[in-house]
Amino acid sequence: MFMPVGTMGTIKGITTAQLRTLDCHVILGNTYHLGSQPGPELLEKAGGLHKFMAWDRGLLTDSGGFQMVSLLKLANITEDGVEFENPHDGKMMMLTPEMSIGLQNSIGADIMMQLDDVVSSLTTGPRVEEAMWRSLRWLDRGIKAHKRPTEQNLFPIVQGGLDERLRTISAQELTKRESPGYAIGGLSGGEAKGSFWRMVSLSTDILPTNKPRYCMGVGYAEDLVVCSALGVDMYDCVFPTRTARFGNALVRTGSMALRQGKYKDDFTPIDSECECSTCKNFTRAYLHATVTKETTGCHLVTVHNIAFQMRLMRDIRQAIVEDRYPQF
């Protein structure tokens, strides 16, 4: 299953009604950003994020831990939690494991992530081990703070960088906690593909096979195919929607840069086998004329890219069910 990312409770260039049409079942929001704006008080008044954004299917919220990497210049990490600079008003904001869970309880996501101490996948040395053990301590604090365990599923996160020993310890420790599902984090951050896939394989070999395994921040087609073979069930990534805004359409052979002049007189769809509304109604020539210039073009390519991801995951799932995945 692939989950498009709606960081602030909205997926840029697409409506929730369109997501339903595209057969999307779970979307992702970010606790750090939603906690800053619109904030937990407003979300509670609205009856949770589902009602606020008119989405009656699954929601998963990230904990805010990833911002330790992406916004590190704004963060101060201690055993208590993470101190951030609020990007909206510049004020300092403390995010503890308990606060992260409290915010996610207010948001009302169906799947919540623990607050973890995230370090770049390229980091080595004692900081990686420190972060792994701290993430386990923060998990236990988050479990105690979880007020809606029968309504919301809390997933712990395997950490340990590219260190096989630390990844093994992390995954083994997580399996001691009875959880509804497990995530594999701290990867897909610039490391070599072989190292990335090896850490995924090591993690899935240890995590329970009867619970969903979620590889965070992964969305390239090649990675979806390989990681599914390694036992991963769930993925999220901003890539399909972000690259659409730069005029890039996803196809089985890679990415089609519709800005290029060769598409100026091309009156075929992006993909003649794609059933999305973009491919049924618009040509490459039209998209060439509008992408990066008009919001309509970005919207149309976004629709296609999410349709591509959904179709790829359906094809992967069907190949597994029919026992022909190696050929796929």
Side-chain angles (χ1 to χ4, degrees):
M1 176 176 68
F2 181 81
M3 301 175 287
V5 177
T7 300
M8 299 287 291
T10 179
I11 293 178
K12 293 181 175 66
I14 200 164
T15 67
T16 52
Q18 288 173 309
L19 287 169
R20 281 189 287 271
T21 301
L22 291 166
D23 197 34
C24 177
H25 290 273
V26 182
I27 58 177
L28 185 142
N30 183 270
T31 299
Y32 166 69
H33 291 289
L34 290 167
S36 302
Q37 191 178 15
E41 295 82 7
L42 182 61
L43 288 172
E44 285 185 355
K45 287 181 182 178
L49 186 58
H50 285 89
K51 290 184 178 179
F52 191 60
M53 64 182 295
W55 177 247
D56 57 1
R57 295 186 177 181
L59 275 173
L60 182 150
T61 42
D62 191 4
S63 66
F66 177 70
Q67 276 63 42
M68 293 184 207
V69 175
S70 62
L71 303 176
L72 191 58
K73 63 181 180 180
L74 306 179
N76 179 36
I77 304 163
T78 67
E79 188 64 26
D80 289 336
V82 192
E83 190 176 33
F84 290 103
E85 180 181 302
N86 189 314
H88 303 289
D89 59 18
K91 295 180 180 178
M92 296 309 293
M93 168 184 170
M94 186 67 170
L95 186 65
T96 67
E98 294 83 3
M99 290 176 63
S100 175
I101 294 299
L103 286 169
Q104 293 181 83
N105 284 152
S106 297
I107 291 167
D110 303 283
I111 301 172
M112 313 188 307
M113 308 308 301
Q114 71 155 111
L115 182 65
D116 53 341
D117 186 352
V118 182
V119 295
S120 167
S121 58
L122 302 179
T123 300
T124 58
R127 176 70 181 100
V128 180
E129 183 160 6
E130 175 193 50
M132 186 274 290
W133 288 112
R134 179 175 287 146
S135 293
L136 287 169
R137 293 192 295 273
W138 284 2
L139 168 63
D140 291 334
R141 287 168 57 184
I143 290 172
K144 290 180 181 178
H146 190 6
K147 295 179 180 177
R148 301 171 62 187
T150 60
E151 303 168 71
Q152 296 174 282
N153 300 286
L154 175 58
F155 281 23
I157 304 171
V158 178
Q159 288 291 351
L162 301 180
D163 187 305
E164 294 186 12
R165 181 183 67 88
L166 296 179
R167 282 269 164 190
T168 299
I169 293 171
S170 179
Q172 289 174 340
E173 286 292 324
L174 295 191
T175 61
K176 297 176 183 177
R177 283 94 170 155
E178 186 60 31
S179 299
Y182 299 87
I184 301 166
L187 296 172
S188 194
E191 71 276 10
K193 290 286 189 187
S195 299
F196 162 45
W197 294 335
R198 188 166 59 254
M199 294 302 103
V200 171
S201 180
L202 184 153
S203 301
T204 54
D205 283 347
I206 297 169
L207 296 174
T209 58
N210 63 337
K211 302 285 182 71
R213 282 90 67 93
Y214 161 36
C215 199
M216 306 178 75
V218 172
Y220 293 129
E222 179 185 26
D223 292 331
L224 298 178
V225 172
V226 172
C227 291
S228 294
L230 297 175
V232 176
D233 305 294
M234 301 166 58
Y235 308 89
D236 82 279
C237 192
V238 299
F239 169 67
T241 49
R242 179 176 289 170
T243 199
R245 297 194 293 276
F246 291 94
N248 300 313
L250 302 180
V251 292
R252 286 293 172 102
T253 54
S255 182
M256 181 182 292
L258 292 162
R259 305 179 308 281
Q260 294 180 357
K262 64 181 179 180
Y263 297 114
K264 180 180 179 181
D265 300 309
D266 188 339
F267 295 100
T268 61
I270 295 170
D271 182 350
S272 59
E273 296 183 3
C274 180
E275 293 294 317
C276 79
S277 58
T278 300
C279 289
K280 283 184 175 180
N281 296 291
F282 298 93
T283 64
R284 297 175 184 181
Y286 178 78
L287 295 168
H288 168 77
T290 57
V291 292
T292 73
K293 304 181 187 72
E294 302 289 343
T295 55
T296 300
C298 295
H299 170 88
L300 293 172
V301 180
T302 298
V303 167
H304 167 78
N305 283 0
I306 292 180
F308 173 87
Q309 296 289 95
M310 297 297 115
R311 179 174 151 213
L312 174 60
M313 295 311 299
R314 284 195 301 272
D315 290 348
I316 288 173
R317 190 161 51 247
Q318 193 63 31
I320 293 171
V321 168
E322 294 175 0
D323 198 24
R324 54 176 177 82
Y325 200 60
Q327 292 76 25
F328 177 85

